[in-house]
């Protein structure tokens, strides 16, 4: 008989690669990525919190996006870094389940907060006269509550599916983190129902935000095309370009990983896809959203100038 999942006390994470010559270079590469992620997101969180003129709906969602990215990256990257410098990257069963829960919570929350930001851009461009009323503090808090409720419910659903698995003697997780498909591969029993649950909830957690984003940007595009001046159209497009880039990276890599059965997508390719939305996107978000934003750059220069002068 197969051993029950509670009898498995620990897993071994295979890591990103098994080539010894790449371990140390990859360690420093991803350590650098993580440092940029932490510094960039913390700087953006601090700047938005301190500057009163940035206390608007757009920056309210950007503040929470940076917070999610910071927590999201911290859930994954430190444990991944140990796989480059340790002979066996062991993780306890309880720690593996905890990492998977928070990974699911933050990745789902990020998908919904990106859709909330798309809705905010739609109101700002298509209905500027009623923007302050439509995106009132109460509405923003309601949208944010919905983001975290969807993140929590999705994470609980995935956790319930994984917790019911029966594991065999093999406890080598072919990944750099505890993710659903690598864990399903270790199961002794049929994983069809579990894969179906994953597919259904991924459709909800990715499909709903994507539909919201497509509708928002479809209406934004129609509104922009009716702007008579070239300068006005260019300015409207520039306010959306950063968001579109991040959406493409995040949802593109996520859909490539989770909207295919694990038998079709080899896990080694899945690792590369996972790198984009777990490591690269949280690092790029503060750079894309802040360094290309005039208000943030002005606030940052004033803050740095004041500190240097002091």
């Amino acid at each position: 008989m197969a051993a029950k999942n509670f009898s498995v006390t620990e897993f071994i994470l295979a890591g990103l690669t098994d080539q010894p010559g790449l371990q140390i270079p990859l360690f420093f590469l991803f350590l650098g990525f993580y440092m940029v992620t932490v510094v960039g997101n913390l700087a953006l969180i601090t700047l938005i919190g301190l500057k009163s003129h940035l206390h608007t709906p757009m920056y309210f969602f950007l503040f929470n996006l940076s917070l999610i990215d910071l927590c999201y990256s911290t859930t994954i990257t430190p444990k991944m870094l140990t796989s480059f410098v340790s002979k066996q990257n062991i993780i306890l069963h309880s720690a593996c389940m905890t990492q998977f829960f928070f990974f699911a919570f933050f990745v789902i929350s990020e998908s919904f907060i990106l859709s909330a930001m798309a809705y905010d851009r739609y109101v700002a461009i298509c209905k500027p006269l009623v923007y302050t009323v439509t995106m009132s503090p109460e509405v923003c808090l309601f949208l944010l509550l919905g983001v975290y409720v969807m993140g929590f419910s999705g994470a609980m659903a995935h956790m319930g599916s994984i917790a019911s698995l029966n594991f065999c003697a093999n406890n080598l997780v072919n990944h750099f983190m505890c993710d659903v498909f690598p864990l399903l591969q270790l199961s002794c029993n049929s994983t069809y129902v579990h894969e179906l649950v994953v597919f259904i909830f991924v459709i909800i957690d990715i499909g709903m935000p994507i539909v919201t984003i497509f509708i928002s940007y479809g209406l934004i595009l129609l509104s922009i095309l009716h702007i008579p001046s070239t300068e006005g159209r260019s300015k409207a497009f520039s306010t959306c370009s950063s968001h579109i880039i991040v959406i493409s990276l995040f949802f593109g890599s996520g859909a490539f990983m989770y909207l295919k059965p694990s038998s079709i997508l080899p896990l080694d390719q899945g690792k590369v896809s996972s790198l984009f939305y777990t490591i690269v996107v949280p690092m790029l978000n503060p750079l894309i959203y802040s360094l290309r934003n005039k208000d943030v750059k002005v606030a940052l220069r004033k803050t740095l100038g004041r500190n240097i002068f002091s």
Side-chain angles (χ1 to χ4, degrees), residues 181 184-185 191 195 260-267:
F181 286 136
L184 287 175
Q185 276 202 343
T191 61
E195 290 192 25
K260 292 184 178 181
S262 57
S263 57
I264 295 178
L265 178 66
L267 283 178

Side-chain angles (χ1 to χ4, degrees), residues 115-129:
S115 67
M117 294 174 76
Y119 175 72
D120 172 73
R121 291 299 83 206
Y122 154 72
V123 177
I125 294 174
C126 299
K127 299 182 178 181
L129 297 179

Side-chain angles (χ1 to χ4, degrees), residues 16 29-38 40-41 65 69-70 72-74 76-77 80 103 110 176-177 245-251 253-254 271-289:
L16 193 60
L29 174 65
F30 288 106
L31 178 62
F33 284 175
Y34 182 59
M35 291 176 66
V36 172
T37 302
V38 172
N41 284 291
L65 177 67
D69 279 335
L70 179 62
Y72 182 19
S73 182
T74 302
I76 304 299
T77 310
M80 185 189 75
F103 158 69
E110 176 139 347
F176 57 83
M177 64 178 183
I245 292 171
V246 171
I247 285 170
S248 301
L249 286 173
F250 180 79
F251 286 106
S253 56
K271 291 181 188 179
V272 177
S273 177
S274 298
L275 285 175
F276 281 96
Y277 64 86
T278 58
I279 308 297
V280 177
V281 171
M283 178 186 68
L284 292 179
N285 281 350
L287 301 177
I288 293 173
Y289 281 111

Side-chain angles (χ1 to χ4, degrees), residues 14-29:
L16 193 60
T17 179
D18 57 357
Q19 299 184 29
L22 294 176
Q23 301 290 347
I24 299 302
L26 286 176
F27 171 81
F28 285 106
L29 174 65

